Amino acid sequence: FDSNTGPVHVFVQEHECTGELDRLAVIDIVSTLAKTNEWQDRVCSDEILSNGWLRMGNASQPKLKSAILHSVAQVLSSSLEKIDDDNAGIRILDTFDKVNHQHHQGDNNNNIGSIHGALDLLLQKFAKSPFEEIRLGTFEVLEMIASLQGRLLLLHGDCLEFLLLSSSTEFTKEGKEAKHDIIKALVTTEKNKQPMQILLSDELIQKFNDLMKKGPHSVPTISWELATE
């Protein structure tokens, strides 16, 4: 595709609702465009392109939901190269929330902001899916958020419980390892150090460091009182 959105619109509209393979093709093409500086803002502001790529409501199969989540993680990963961009990844999360809360009004019980809303979907819904491929896709997105915008996770009320209190609810080897990768990204990313020192107690920071050192198959024990200090 060239820089003209017309041909991309036609492709998305002809293929997004015609079957699983066609929808996968739409997800692949639009997310690939979204990795580029030239197209990312255009994809996020274009309703046809953003819906074709990110809309979870019409993705009935776990494989499709997983593919969407994986593609979001890949686009966020491409933002890791923009080291000096404090807003890296924000536009993608904002668009993910707008597209999906538009089609899942019942899931949006707050008006705190679209980034908070995107994390609501990820932490409260998809991370708790009974389908492993959806959970793994969610963990991959959260790992990228931890690397890009760790402060957003620290500011979300469900994040500490998700990372510190509910590891025993993930029973698969791959899931435990993916969840541990989120903690590793949060702890080892340089720009997260100051937000962690400001937002978390010394005891809680130590818990994160201990979890990272113990590895993905340890079972953390922490009181809720400590987590909410």
Side-chain angles (χ1 to χ4, degrees):
F1 294 109
D2 56 28
S3 59
N4 181 12
T5 56
V8 192
H9 278 174
V10 172
F11 181 85
V12 170
Q13 290 174 317
E14 288 181 349
H15 293 82
E16 68 169 321
C17 297
T18 56
E20 181 179 292
L21 291 178
D22 284 341
R23 180 70 195 283
L24 288 171
V26 168
I27 293 166
D28 181 59
I29 288 172
V30 179
S31 64
T32 298
L33 291 173
K35 292 178 185 178
T36 67
N37 291 331
E38 179 184 5
W39 276 89
Q40 186 169 116
D41 284 346
R42 196 180 310 182
V43 167
C44 289
S45 61
D46 189 296
E47 186 174 342
I48 292 174
L49 299 183
S50 58
N51 282 344
W53 170 28
L54 296 171
R55 188 168 61 192
M56 303 283 277
N58 65 349
S60 58
Q61 298 298 319
K63 180 180 179 181
L64 281 177
K65 286 185 168 68
S66 174
I68 293 169
L69 292 163
H70 176 73
S71 72
V72 170
Q74 291 299 304
V75 174
L76 290 175
S77 178
S78 71
S79 298
L80 285 172
E81 299 173 4
K82 304 171 184 177
I83 299 173
D84 298 324
D85 184 0
D86 288 336
N87 294 314
I90 292 291
R91 189 75 188 275
I92 299 299
L93 294 173
D94 177 70
T95 306
F96 178 83
D97 171 70
K98 287 178 179 176
V99 167
N100 287 294
H101 277 143
Q102 173 183 326
H103 296 277
H104 292 87
Q105 293 296 329
D107 295 328
N108 190 9
N109 295 320
N110 66 76
N111 297 306
I112 297 174
S114 57
I115 306 304
H116 190 97
L119 290 173
D120 279 350
L121 279 173
L122 292 166
L123 289 166
Q124 296 175 6
K125 183 170 183 173
F126 301 127
K128 298 177 181 178
S129 170
F131 299 102
E132 182 184 8
E133 59 262 58
I134 294 176
R135 297 198 309 278
L136 292 177
T138 303
F139 297 161
E140 189 177 358
V141 175
L142 291 171
E143 180 190 352
M144 290 300 102
I145 297 173
S147 298
L148 286 163
Q149 301 288 346
R151 60 187 173 82
L152 297 178
L153 288 182
L154 297 172
L155 286 167
H156 193 282
D158 290 332
C159 176
L160 297 182
E161 180 179 5
F162 169 74
L163 291 176
L164 296 173
L165 300 176
S166 61
S167 293
S168 59
T169 63
E170 181 56 56
F171 298 105
T172 70
K173 175 178 180 291
E174 293 80 5
K176 288 179 180 294
E177 291 171 353
K179 208 167 188 180
H180 183 262
D181 286 341
I182 302 170
I183 296 174
K184 183 178 180 181
L186 193 62
V187 171
T188 61
T189 300
E190 184 66 29
K191 70 177 183 179
N192 289 338
K193 289 185 178 179
Q194 185 176 6
M196 289 186 74
Q197 290 171 352
I198 294 172
L199 297 170
L200 302 181
S201 66
D202 291 342
E203 291 86 355
L204 206 47
I205 291 173
Q206 187 60 48
K207 285 289 183 181
F208 273 112
N209 289 323
D210 289 345
L211 277 175
M212 189 186 70
K213 292 175 183 176
K214 290 178 181 178
H217 303 292
S218 64
V219 179
T221 56
I222 178 174
S223 69
W224 179 241
E225 289 77 11
L226 177 60
T228 54
E229 280 185 1

